[in-house]
């Protein structure tokens, strides 16, 4: 995808160093975070229950006043963050485009838009400002409490091995998916879903899958709104990535029995269909379909 250059005056980006400091302030992990912890655990060959248990345990702890992400480490300038690697530059380019695309969509709808912050954290560990502490094993995630997208870019090498493609669109799909969770957060949908899950625990899993599929759809919608920048092969790269991280594929690759009750993000087919739906969307409400009837 032929993205333009990043503009640090128009994006919020940082790079926390998780090597020091304590926990971030306690808060609830976002609707996608614990599910992504499960995916990350399967991807990296860890025990999902241990990974999720670690994150939940961290949530119960509080930080000393004023202690947040990356305390005690030298803070990189935004320009340094965006030029520390090719992956970082690509992510900043994507963030610039995502901000422009979604702010325009919100303006058309007469809604207030708020940018997320992208944290390309270092050291394999990050202390968030609202969702506790996490390691790179959980994979990319979004924290609604601080409106932060957290990515250890080393994940992209693992994604390339999983999906069989090293193309840029697979990586862009990942950040655009997390940005989709930000859209759900600032529109209030994420809060509504959490409330619905608490009211009806039996529907919690179904609602979780709908959240993730809608985020996939939003990722496709961003790409579709920038169709003039798409290059040959991009769609195929995105679909391969979506297929590689479908719940059924992850369970199968982990040597587990396919268990629909344990799905959190949707099957490979569902994720590919959601991404394609966004790409082919003709209006900004196309991704609302995942919550029709809920």
């Amino acid at each position: 995808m032929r993205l333009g250059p990043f503009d640090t005056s128009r994006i919020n980006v940082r790079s926390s160093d998780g090597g020091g400091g304590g926990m971030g302030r306690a808060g609830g992990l976002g609707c996608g975070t614990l599910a992504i912890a499960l995916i990350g655990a399967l991807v990296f060959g860890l025990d999902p229950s241990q990974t999720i248990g670690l994150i939940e345990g961290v949530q119960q702890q509080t930080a000393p006043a004023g202690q947040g992400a990356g305390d005690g480490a030298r803070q990189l300038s935004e320009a340094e963050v965006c030029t520390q690697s090719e992956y970082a530059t690509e992510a900043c380019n994507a963030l610039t485009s995502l901000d422009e695309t979604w702010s325009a969509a919100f303006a058309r709808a007469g809604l207030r838009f708020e940018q997320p912050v992208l944290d390309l954290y270092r050291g394999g560990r990050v202390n968030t400002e609202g969702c506790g502490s996490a390691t790179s094993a959980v994979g990319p995630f979004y924290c609604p409490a601080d409106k932060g997208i957290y990515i250890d870019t080393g994940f992209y090498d693992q994604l390339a091995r999983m999906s069989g493609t090293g193309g840029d669109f697979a990586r862009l799909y990942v950040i655009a998916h997390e940005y989709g969770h930000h859209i759900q957060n600032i529109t209030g949908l994420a809060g509504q879903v959490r409330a619905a899950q608490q009211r009806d625990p039996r529907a919690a899993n179904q609602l979780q899958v709908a959240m993730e599929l809608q985020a996939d759809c939003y990722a496709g919608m961003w790409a579709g709104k920038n169709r003039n920048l798409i290059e040959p092969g991009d769609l195929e790269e995105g679909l391969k990535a979506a297929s590689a991280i479908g719940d059924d594929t992850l369970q199968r690759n982990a040597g587990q029995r396919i268990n629909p009750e344990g799905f959190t993000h949707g099957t490979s087919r569902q994720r590919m269909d959601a991404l394609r739906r966004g790409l082919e969307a003709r209006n900004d409400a196309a991704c609302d379909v995942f919550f029709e009837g809920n």
Side-chain angles (χ1 to χ4, degrees):
M1 195 168 179
R2 300 186 304 274
L3 293 175
F6 64 82
D7 183 348
T8 55
S9 70
R10 299 165 61 189
I11 59 176
N12 297 321
V13 64
R14 67 187 178 213
S15 182
S16 298
D17 187 335
M23 304 299 179
R25 293 190 299 275
L29 285 177
C31 288
T33 304
L34 286 181
I36 292 173
L38 175 60
I39 278 192
L42 291 173
V43 168
F44 287 88
L46 304 177
D47 182 343
S49 63
Q50 292 179 354
T51 302
I52 294 175
L54 170 64
I55 296 177
E56 289 178 332
V58 168
Q59 284 185 261
Q60 306 305 316
Q61 304 182 48
T62 57
Q67 188 168 317
D71 284 358
R74 184 182 82 83
Q75 296 297 310
L76 300 180
S77 69
E78 292 184 328
E80 288 176 319
V81 172
C82 291
T83 56
Q84 60 184 323
S85 71
E86 290 185 8
Y87 285 160
T89 299
E90 179 182 85
C92 289
N93 292 345
L95 183 64
T96 300
S97 175
L98 283 159
D99 282 346
E100 291 176 349
T101 301
W102 283 111
S103 62
F106 272 58
R108 286 193 297 272
L111 299 174
R112 178 178 176 272
F113 179 74
E114 184 176 357
Q115 292 182 353
V117 58
L118 173 63
D119 193 324
L120 301 175
Y121 66 92
R122 297 162 287 154
R125 186 179 185 85
V126 65
N127 303 318
T128 75
E129 295 180 354
C131 299
S133 179
T135 69
S136 56
V138 306
F141 66 94
Y142 175 72
C143 174
D146 61 17
K147 298 180 177 65
I149 296 171
Y150 291 86
I151 299 177
D152 179 342
T153 56
F155 169 80
Y156 290 139
D157 291 325
Q158 181 70 27
L159 178 64
R161 289 190 290 271
M162 290 173 58
S163 63
T165 174
D168 65 330
F169 196 77
R171 299 187 294 272
L172 298 176
Y173 159 59
V174 169
I175 187 173
H177 171 95
E178 299 308 329
Y179 205 106
H181 286 310
H182 177 65
I183 299 303
Q184 293 168 333
N185 187 28
I186 62 177
T187 58
L189 175 66
Q192 294 173 22
V193 169
R194 284 194 293 272
Q197 289 173 317
Q198 292 173 355
R199 288 194 304 269
D200 185 2
R202 291 176 299 179
N205 185 266
Q206 177 184 352
L207 289 168
Q208 176 63 54
V209 170
M211 284 282 286
E212 299 302 332
L213 292 178
Q214 187 183 61
D216 282 339
C217 185
Y218 281 153
M221 183 176 287
W222 163 68
K225 290 179 180 298
N226 295 278
R227 193 174 304 277
N228 59 310
L229 304 179
I230 294 179
E231 299 175 296
D234 280 348
L235 176 58
E236 290 75 15
E237 291 170 9
L239 292 175
K240 284 183 179 179
S243 176
I245 54 179
D247 286 323
D248 53 341
T249 299
L250 288 171
Q251 289 179 352
R252 186 182 303 110
N253 291 344
Q256 300 177 358
R257 179 177 59 85
I258 303 301
N259 176 23
E261 293 184 358
F263 287 174
T264 56
H265 281 60
T267 66
S268 293
R269 173 55 57 187
Q270 287 175 317
R271 300 201 71 173
M272 288 190 292
D273 288 346
L275 179 63
R276 186 182 288 108
R277 170 180 287 274
L279 278 163
E280 297 174 352
R282 292 291 180 263
N283 61 76
D284 292 344
C287 297
D288 293 347
V289 66
F290 298 100
F291 288 96
E292 291 179 356
N294 287 315

